[in-house]
């Protein structure tokens, strides 16, 4: 809405830049102190691993859980080959400042493969869920869901995010021969560029809002920011009123997925509003439904509306 009115000029790949900045800020804040809320800390550790982030024993990281579960279903010969390869890679060099187990190459490849597998599995499950109503009519939709390119894109995003973060952290230690919280900010920013492979405004805005929420909460706890009584309710009320106002006067400005959600919640009534009547306000309200005009019961219509309906009936009788 702000872009349409000219208040904000869109920046090319601005969503990727926002994700990179918020990833860098979140990881840096977690490294330097107890600033983020516990749920945010545990989420970041589960994604990136605990060896780079304080607060947990690196040996307890569960970054390979998904990959190990998939590993169990592989043929015996393949498992034997991969196990030998993994042991060889583990024996490669590791910087003395690195806290992870095994070599740096093993640490990076482990993070990439585990998160790639997780991302691929998540997107596959979503695709299968969407195709469930069509399975009986089109069984081939199942096969397409398993090999959909979106599965690879989400896998590359999650695997690239963790893999790039780990490789940059190890490279900085090797080249600078020191460890620093600045390293984690640099690695977080560069790793966030993996969002290029799976650009999702929903993911970006959710992650950015969570980081801002944690900063506001920390500022209020330390007394840097005022605590407004009922502030969360006020924010929710303003957000809801903005969305519902846009749903009536500018539905084309709402994200398609959220617009479909509003239609399901309201029993499709939002699409049955006569937005032609408010087009005079200049919001292009009827953009999504340019030809929709409801059938009015003229017994309950104003004289002006009755004359309008009679005029439309006369025009339709001429051209139909």
């Amino acid at each position: 809405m702000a872009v349409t009115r000219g208040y904000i000029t869109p920046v090319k790949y601005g969503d990727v830049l926002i994700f990179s900045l918020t990833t860098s800020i979140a990881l840096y804040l977690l490294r330097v102190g107890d600033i983020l809320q516990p749920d945010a800390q545990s989420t970041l550790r589960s994604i990136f691993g605990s060896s780079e982030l304080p607060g947990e024993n690196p040996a307890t990281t569960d970054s390979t859980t998904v990959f190990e579960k998939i590993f169990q279903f592989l043929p015996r010969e393949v498992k034997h080959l991969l196990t030998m390869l993994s042991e060889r890679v583990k024996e490669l060099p590791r910087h003395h400042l690195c806290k992870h187990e095994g070599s740096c190459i093993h640490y990076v490849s482990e993070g990439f493969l585990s998160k790639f597998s997780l991302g691929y599995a998540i997107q596959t499950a979503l695709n299968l869920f969407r195709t469930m109503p069509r399975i009986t009519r089109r069984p081939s939709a199942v096969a397409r869901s398993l090999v959909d390119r979106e599965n690879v894109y989400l896998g590359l995003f999650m695997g690239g995010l963790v893999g790039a973060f780990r490789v940059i952290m190890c490279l900085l230690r090797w080249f600078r021969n020191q460890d620093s919280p600045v390293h984690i900010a640099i690695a977080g920013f560069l790793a966030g560029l993996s969002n290029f492979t799976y650009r999702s405004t929903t993911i970006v805005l959710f992650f950015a809002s969570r980081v801002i929420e944690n900063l506001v909460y920390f500022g209020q706890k330390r007394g840097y920011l005022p605590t407004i009584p009922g502030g969360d309710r006020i924010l929710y009320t303003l957000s809801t009123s903005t969305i519902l106002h846009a749903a009536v006067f500018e539905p084309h400005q709402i994200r398609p997925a959220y617009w479909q959600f509003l239609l399901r919640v309201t029993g499709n009534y939002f699409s049955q509003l006569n937005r032609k009547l408010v087009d005079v306000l200049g919001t292009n309200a009827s953009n999504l439904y340019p030809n929709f005009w409801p059938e009015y019961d003229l017994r309950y219509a104003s004289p002006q509306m009755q004359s309008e309906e009679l005029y439309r009936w006369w025009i339709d009788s001429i051209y139909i």
Side-chain angles (χ1 to χ4, degrees):
M1 294 172 67
V3 172
T4 303
R5 288 168 171 75
Y7 301 151
I8 299 176
T9 302
V11 178
K12 190 176 183 179
Y13 304 123
D15 53 337
V16 179
L17 180 61
I18 292 173
F19 184 78
S20 294
L21 287 173
T22 50
T23 302
S24 176
I25 293 171
L27 292 173
Y28 179 79
L29 293 177
L30 181 56
R31 180 66 179 268
V32 298
D34 189 20
I35 298 177
L36 302 180
Q37 298 181 48
D39 59 335
Q41 296 183 26
S42 60
T43 300
L44 290 175
R45 290 193 183 98
S46 66
I47 295 174
F48 295 95
S50 57
S51 62
E52 305 289 354
L53 305 170
E56 288 185 3
N57 187 350
T60 62
T61 179
D62 59 349
S63 61
T64 60
T65 301
V66 176
F67 186 68
E68 289 177 350
K69 290 181 178 179
I70 297 176
F71 184 79
Q72 296 175 359
F73 297 98
L74 297 177
R76 181 182 303 176
E77 294 77 9
V78 177
K79 287 196 288 187
H80 179 67
L81 179 62
L82 291 177
T83 301
M84 289 180 55
L85 181 62
S86 177
E87 293 299 326
R88 292 287 183 86
V89 174
K90 270 187 178 181
E91 296 172 358
L92 295 175
R94 179 186 70 174
H95 195 274
H96 67 278
L97 291 175
C98 290
K99 300 178 182 179
H100 56 78
E101 295 181 349
S103 67
C104 291
I105 295 178
H106 181 270
Y107 174 62
V108 172
S109 58
E110 177 188 73
F112 173 81
L113 291 175
S114 62
K115 297 309 176 186
F116 177 86
S117 304
L118 178 61
Y120 195 98
I122 291 174
Q123 189 62 49
T124 301
L126 291 175
N127 290 341
L128 289 173
F129 180 77
R130 295 192 192 109
T131 58
M132 284 180 63
R134 296 176 293 166
I135 288 178
T136 55
R137 291 180 285 109
R138 297 176 58 187
S140 60
V142 177
R144 281 196 291 269
S145 299
L146 296 176
V147 296
D148 191 272
R149 66 177 62 182
E150 290 294 320
N151 304 349
V152 179
Y153 291 156
L154 183 57
L156 288 175
F157 166 54
M158 296 187 65
L161 178 66
V162 177
F165 171 76
R166 292 186 175 187
V167 73
I168 293 168
M169 290 294 294
C170 288
L171 285 175
L172 288 173
R173 281 191 286 261
W174 278 98
F175 282 109
R176 302 191 67 206
N177 199 29
Q178 60 175 304
D179 202 4
S180 169
V182 177
H183 290 179
I184 205 168
I186 297 173
F189 180 83
L190 295 178
L193 298 178
S194 62
N195 189 241
F196 273 113
T197 62
Y198 192 84
R199 297 181 64 182
S200 172
T201 307
T202 302
I203 294 176
V204 172
L205 292 180
F206 174 78
F207 190 64
S209 63
R210 289 289 290 159
V211 173
I212 295 173
E213 176 190 350
N214 277 263
L215 289 174
V216 171
Y217 179 79
F218 176 75
Q220 291 177 337
K221 186 170 66 174
R222 291 295 182 90
Y224 303 144
L225 296 174
T227 301
I228 302 175
D232 54 344
R233 297 175 180 84
I234 295 174
L235 181 61
Y236 176 78
T237 301
L238 292 175
S239 301
T240 304
S241 64
T242 302
I243 288 293
L244 294 181
H245 179 273
V248 175
F249 294 98
E250 302 176 71
H252 54 284
Q253 303 284 13
I254 300 177
R255 292 180 58 82
Y258 195 76
W259 174 245
Q260 293 300 320
F261 168 75
L262 290 178
L263 292 181
R264 288 195 298 270
V265 169
T266 60
N268 210 41
Y269 282 115
F270 255 135
S271 63
Q272 300 176 22
L273 297 177
N274 189 355
R275 293 179 173 83
K276 285 285 188 181
L277 301 178
V278 295
D279 273 345
V280 294
L281 300 178
T283 61
N284 296 321
S286 63
N287 196 332
L288 289 182
Y289 308 98
N291 300 319
F292 176 76
W293 188 275
E295 296 182 4
Y296 290 105
D297 188 338
L298 297 182
R299 293 175 300 171
Y300 305 101
S302 65
Q304 184 178 0
M305 179 62 71
Q306 292 177 3
S307 60
E308 175 70 17
E309 284 295 297
L310 290 174
Y311 175 74
R312 289 175 59 84
W313 174 82
W314 180 65
I315 293 295
D316 290 341
S317 63
I318 293 177
Y319 289 99
I320 296 179

Coordinates of all heavy atoms in Angstrom, one line a residue, residues 174-221:
W174 N 40.6 -19.4 10.4 CA 41.8 -19.9 9.7 C 42.6 -18.7 9.2 O 43.9 -18.6 9.4 CB 41.5 -20.8 8.5 CG 41.2 -22.2 8.9 CD1 40.0 -22.8 9.1 CD2 42.2 -23.2 9.2 NE1 40.2 -24.1 9.5 CE2 41.5 -24.4 9.5 CE3 43.6 -23.2 9.2 CZ2 42.2 -25.6 9.8 CZ3 44.2 -24.4 9.5 CH2 43.5 -25.6 9.8
F175 N 42.0 -17.7 8.6 CA 42.7 -16.6 8.0 C 43.2 -15.5 9.1 O 44.2 -15.0 9.0 CB 41.8 -15.8 7.0 CG 41.8 -16.6 5.7 CD1 40.6 -17.2 5.3 CD2 42.9 -16.6 4.9 CE1 40.6 -17.9 4.0 CE2 42.9 -17.3 3.6 CZ 41.7 -17.9 3.2
R176 N 42.3 -15.3 10.1 CA 42.7 -14.3 11.1 C 43.3 -14.9 12.4 O 43.8 -14.2 13.2 CB 41.4 -13.5 11.5 CG 40.7 -12.8 10.3 CD 39.7 -11.9 10.8 NE 40.3 -10.8 11.5 CZ 39.6 -10.0 12.5 NH1 38.4 -10.4 12.8 NH2 40.2 -9.0 13.1
N177 N 43.2 -16.2 12.5 CA 43.8 -16.9 13.7 C 43.2 -16.3 15.0 O 44.0 -16.2 16.0 CB 45.3 -16.8 13.7 CG 45.9 -17.9 14.5 OD1 45.4 -19.0 14.7 ND2 47.1 -17.6 15.1
Q178 N 42.0 -16.0 15.0 CA 41.3 -15.5 16.2 C 39.8 -15.7 16.1 O 39.3 -15.9 15.0 CB 41.6 -14.0 16.5 CG 41.2 -13.1 15.4 CD 41.4 -11.6 15.7 OE1 40.9 -11.2 16.8 NE2 42.2 -11.0 14.9
D179 N 39.1 -15.6 17.2 CA 37.7 -15.8 17.2 C 37.1 -14.5 17.7 O 37.6 -13.9 18.7 CB 37.2 -16.9 18.0 CG 35.8 -17.4 17.7 OD1 35.3 -16.9 16.7 OD2 35.3 -18.3 18.3
S180 N 36.0 -14.0 17.2 CA 35.4 -12.7 17.5 C 33.9 -12.7 17.3 O 33.5 -13.3 16.3 CB 36.1 -11.6 16.8 OG 35.4 -10.3 16.9
P181 N 33.2 -12.0 18.1 CA 31.7 -11.8 17.8 C 31.5 -11.2 16.5 O 30.4 -11.4 15.9 CB 31.2 -11.0 19.0 CG 32.2 -11.2 20.1 CD 33.5 -11.4 19.4
V182 N 32.4 -10.4 16.0 CA 32.2 -9.7 14.7 C 32.1 -10.8 13.6 O 31.4 -10.6 12.6 CB 33.4 -8.8 14.4 CG1 33.2 -8.1 13.0 CG2 33.4 -7.7 15.5
H183 N 32.9 -11.9 13.8 CA 32.8 -13.0 12.8 C 31.4 -13.5 12.6 O 31.0 -13.8 11.4 CB 33.7 -14.1 13.2 CG 35.2 -13.8 13.2 ND1 36.2 -14.7 13.6 CD2 35.9 -12.7 12.8 CE1 37.4 -14.2 13.4 NE2 37.2 -12.9 13.0
I184 N 30.7 -13.6 13.6 CA 29.4 -14.2 13.5 C 28.4 -13.2 12.8 O 27.5 -13.7 12.2 CB 28.8 -14.6 14.9 CG1 27.8 -15.7 14.8 CG2 28.2 -13.4 15.7 CD1 27.4 -16.3 16.1
A185 N 28.6 -11.9 13.0 CA 27.8 -10.9 12.3 C 28.1 -11.0 10.8 O 27.2 -10.9 10.0 CB 28.1 -9.5 12.8
I186 N 29.4 -11.1 10.4 CA 29.7 -11.2 9.0 C 29.2 -12.5 8.4 O 28.6 -12.5 7.3 CB 31.3 -11.1 8.8 CG1 31.8 -9.8 9.3 CG2 31.7 -11.4 7.4 CD1 33.3 -9.7 9.4
A187 N 29.4 -13.6 9.1 CA 28.9 -14.9 8.6 C 27.4 -14.9 8.5 O 26.8 -15.5 7.5 CB 29.4 -16.0 9.5
G188 N 26.7 -14.3 9.5 CA 25.2 -14.3 9.4 C 24.7 -13.5 8.2 O 23.8 -13.9 7.6
F189 N 25.4 -12.3 7.9 CA 24.9 -11.5 6.8 C 25.2 -12.2 5.5 O 24.3 -12.3 4.6 CB 25.7 -10.2 6.8 CG 25.3 -9.3 5.7 CD1 24.2 -8.5 5.7 CD2 26.1 -9.3 4.5 CE1 23.8 -7.6 4.7 CE2 25.7 -8.4 3.4 CZ 24.6 -7.6 3.5
L190 N 26.4 -12.8 5.3 CA 26.7 -13.5 4.0 C 25.8 -14.8 3.9 O 25.4 -15.1 2.8 CB 28.1 -13.8 3.9 CG 29.1 -12.6 3.9 CD1 30.5 -13.0 3.9 CD2 28.8 -11.7 2.7
A191 N 25.6 -15.5 5.0 CA 24.8 -16.7 4.9 C 23.3 -16.3 4.5 O 22.6 -17.1 3.9 CB 24.8 -17.4 6.2
G192 N 22.8 -15.2 5.0 CA 21.5 -14.7 4.7 C 21.2 -14.5 3.2 O 20.1 -14.6 2.7
L193 N 22.3 -14.4 2.4 CA 22.1 -14.2 1.0 C 21.6 -15.5 0.3 O 21.2 -15.5 -0.9 CB 23.5 -13.8 0.3 CG 24.0 -12.5 0.8 CD1 25.4 -12.2 0.1 CD2 23.1 -11.3 0.5
S194 N 21.6 -16.6 1.0 CA 21.0 -17.9 0.5 C 19.5 -17.7 0.3 O 18.9 -18.6 -0.4 CB 21.3 -19.0 1.5 OG 20.6 -18.8 2.7
N195 N 18.9 -16.7 0.8 CA 17.5 -16.4 0.5 C 17.2 -16.2 -0.9 O 16.1 -16.2 -1.4 CB 17.1 -15.2 1.4 CG 15.6 -15.0 1.3 OD1 15.1 -13.9 0.9 ND2 14.8 -15.9 1.8
F196 N 18.3 -15.9 -1.7 CA 18.1 -15.8 -3.2 C 17.5 -17.1 -3.8 O 16.7 -17.0 -4.8 CB 19.4 -15.5 -3.9 CG 19.8 -14.1 -3.9 CD1 20.9 -13.6 -3.2 CD2 19.1 -13.2 -4.7 CE1 21.2 -12.3 -3.3 CE2 19.4 -11.8 -4.8 CZ 20.5 -11.4 -4.0
T197 N 17.8 -18.2 -3.2 CA 17.3 -19.5 -3.8 C 15.8 -19.8 -3.5 O 15.2 -20.6 -4.1 CB 18.2 -20.7 -3.3 OG1 18.1 -20.8 -1.9 CG2 19.6 -20.4 -3.7
Y198 N 15.3 -19.1 -2.4 CA 13.9 -19.4 -2.0 C 13.4 -18.0 -1.4 O 13.2 -17.9 -0.2 CB 13.9 -20.5 -1.0 CG 12.5 -21.0 -0.7 CD1 11.9 -22.0 -1.5 CD2 11.7 -20.5 0.4 CE1 10.6 -22.5 -1.2 CE2 10.4 -21.0 0.6 CZ 9.9 -22.0 -0.2 OH 8.6 -22.4 0.1
R199 N 13.0 -17.1 -2.3 CA 12.6 -15.8 -1.9 C 11.2 -15.9 -1.4 O 10.2 -16.1 -2.2 CB 12.8 -14.8 -3.0 CG 14.2 -14.6 -3.5 CD 14.4 -13.6 -4.6 NE 14.0 -12.3 -4.1 CZ 13.9 -11.2 -5.0 NH1 14.3 -11.4 -6.2 NH2 13.6 -10.0 -4.5
S200 N 11.0 -15.6 -0.1 CA 9.7 -15.7 0.5 C 9.5 -14.5 1.4 O 10.2 -14.3 2.4 CB 9.5 -17.0 1.3 OG 8.3 -16.9 2.0
T201 N 8.6 -13.6 1.0 CA 8.4 -12.4 1.8 C 7.8 -12.7 3.2 O 8.1 -12.1 4.2 CB 7.4 -11.4 1.1 OG1 7.9 -11.1 -0.2 CG2 7.3 -10.1 1.8
T202 N 7.1 -13.8 3.2 CA 6.5 -14.3 4.5 C 7.6 -14.6 5.5 O 7.6 -14.2 6.7 CB 5.6 -15.5 4.3 OG1 4.5 -15.1 3.3 CG2 4.9 -15.9 5.6
I203 N 8.6 -15.4 5.0 CA 9.7 -15.8 5.9 C 10.5 -14.6 6.3 O 10.8 -14.5 7.5 CB 10.6 -16.8 5.2 CG1 9.8 -18.1 4.9 CG2 11.8 -17.1 6.0 CD1 10.6 -19.2 4.1
V204 N 10.8 -13.7 5.4 CA 11.6 -12.5 5.7 C 10.9 -11.6 6.7 O 11.5 -11.2 7.7 CB 11.9 -11.7 4.4 CG1 12.5 -10.4 4.7 CG2 12.7 -12.6 3.5
L205 N 9.6 -11.3 6.5 CA 8.9 -10.4 7.4 C 8.7 -11.1 8.8 O 8.8 -10.4 9.8 CB 7.6 -10.1 6.8 CG 7.6 -9.2 5.6 CD1 6.2 -8.9 5.1 CD2 8.4 -7.9 5.9
F206 N 8.5 -12.4 8.8 CA 8.3 -13.1 10.1 C 9.6 -13.0 10.9 O 9.6 -12.7 12.1 CB 7.9 -14.5 9.9 CG 7.8 -15.3 11.2 CD1 6.8 -15.2 12.0 CD2 8.8 -16.2 11.5 CE1 6.7 -15.9 13.2 CE2 8.8 -17.0 12.7 CZ 7.7 -16.8 13.5
F207 N 10.7 -13.3 10.3 CA 12.0 -13.3 10.9 C 12.4 -11.9 11.4 O 12.8 -11.7 12.5 CB 13.1 -13.9 10.0 CG 14.4 -14.2 10.7 CD1 14.4 -15.2 11.7 CD2 15.5 -13.5 10.4 CE1 15.6 -15.4 12.3 CE2 16.7 -13.8 11.0 CZ 16.8 -14.7 12.0
A208 N 12.2 -10.9 10.5 CA 12.5 -9.6 10.9 C 11.6 -9.1 12.0 O 12.1 -8.4 13.0 CB 12.3 -8.6 9.7
S209 N 10.3 -9.4 12.0 CA 9.4 -9.0 13.1 C 9.8 -9.6 14.4 O 9.7 -9.0 15.5 CB 8.0 -9.3 12.8 OG 7.8 -10.7 12.6
R210 N 10.3 -10.9 14.4 CA 10.7 -11.6 15.6 C 12.0 -10.9 16.2 O 12.1 -10.8 17.4 CB 11.0 -13.0 15.3 CG 9.7 -13.8 15.0 CD 8.9 -14.0 16.3 NE 9.6 -14.9 17.2 CZ 9.3 -15.0 18.5 NH1 8.4 -14.1 19.1 NH2 10.0 -15.8 19.3
V211 N 12.9 -10.5 15.3 CA 14.1 -9.8 15.8 C 13.7 -8.5 16.4 O 14.2 -8.1 17.5 CB 15.1 -9.6 14.7 CG1 16.3 -8.8 15.1 CG2 15.6 -11.0 14.2
I212 N 12.9 -7.7 15.8 CA 12.4 -6.4 16.3 C 11.7 -6.6 17.6 O 11.9 -5.9 18.6 CB 11.5 -5.7 15.3 CG1 12.3 -5.3 14.0 CG2 10.9 -4.5 15.9 CD1 11.5 -4.8 12.9
E213 N 10.8 -7.6 17.7 CA 10.1 -7.9 19.0 C 11.1 -8.2 20.1 O 10.9 -7.7 21.2 CB 9.2 -9.1 18.7 CG 8.5 -9.6 20.0 CD 7.8 -10.9 19.8 OE1 7.7 -11.4 18.7 OE2 7.3 -11.5 20.8
N214 N 12.1 -9.0 19.8 CA 13.1 -9.3 20.9 C 13.9 -8.1 21.3 O 14.2 -7.9 22.5 CB 14.1 -10.4 20.4 CG 13.6 -11.8 20.5 OD1 13.9 -12.5 21.5 ND2 12.8 -12.2 19.6
L215 N 14.2 -7.2 20.3 CA 14.9 -5.9 20.7 C 14.0 -5.0 21.5 O 14.5 -4.4 22.5 CB 15.4 -5.2 19.4 CG 16.5 -5.9 18.6 CD1 16.7 -5.2 17.3 CD2 17.8 -5.9 19.4
V216 N 12.8 -4.9 21.2 CA 11.9 -4.1 22.0 C 11.7 -4.7 23.4 O 11.7 -3.9 24.4 CB 10.5 -4.0 21.2 CG1 9.5 -3.3 22.1 CG2 10.6 -3.2 19.9
Y217 N 11.5 -6.0 23.5 CA 11.4 -6.6 24.8 C 12.6 -6.4 25.6 O 12.5 -6.1 26.8 CB 11.2 -8.1 24.6 CG 11.0 -8.9 25.9 CD1 9.8 -8.9 26.6 CD2 12.1 -9.6 26.4 CE1 9.7 -9.6 27.8 CE2 11.9 -10.3 27.6 CZ 10.7 -10.3 28.3 OH 10.6 -11.0 29.4
F218 N 13.8 -6.5 25.0 CA 15.1 -6.3 25.8 C 15.2 -4.8 26.2 O 15.6 -4.5 27.3 CB 16.2 -6.6 24.9 CG 17.6 -6.3 25.5 CD1 18.1 -7.1 26.5 CD2 18.3 -5.2 25.1 CE1 19.3 -6.9 27.1 CE2 19.5 -4.9 25.7 CZ 20.0 -5.8 26.7
G219 N 14.8 -3.9 25.3 CA 14.8 -2.5 25.7 C 13.9 -2.1 26.8 O 14.2 -1.3 27.7
Q220 N 12.7 -2.7 26.8 CA 11.7 -2.5 27.9 C 12.2 -3.1 29.2 O 12.1 -2.5 30.3 CB 10.4 -3.1 27.5 CG 9.7 -2.4 26.4 CD 8.4 -3.0 26.0 OE1 8.2 -4.2 26.2 NE2 7.5 -2.3 25.4
K221 N 12.9 -4.3 29.1 CA 13.4 -4.9 30.3 C 14.5 -4.1 31.0 O 14.6 -4.1 32.2 CB 13.8 -6.3 30.0 CG 14.2 -7.2 31.2 CD 14.5 -8.6 30.8 CE 15.6 -8.8 29.9 NZ 16.0 -10.2 29.6

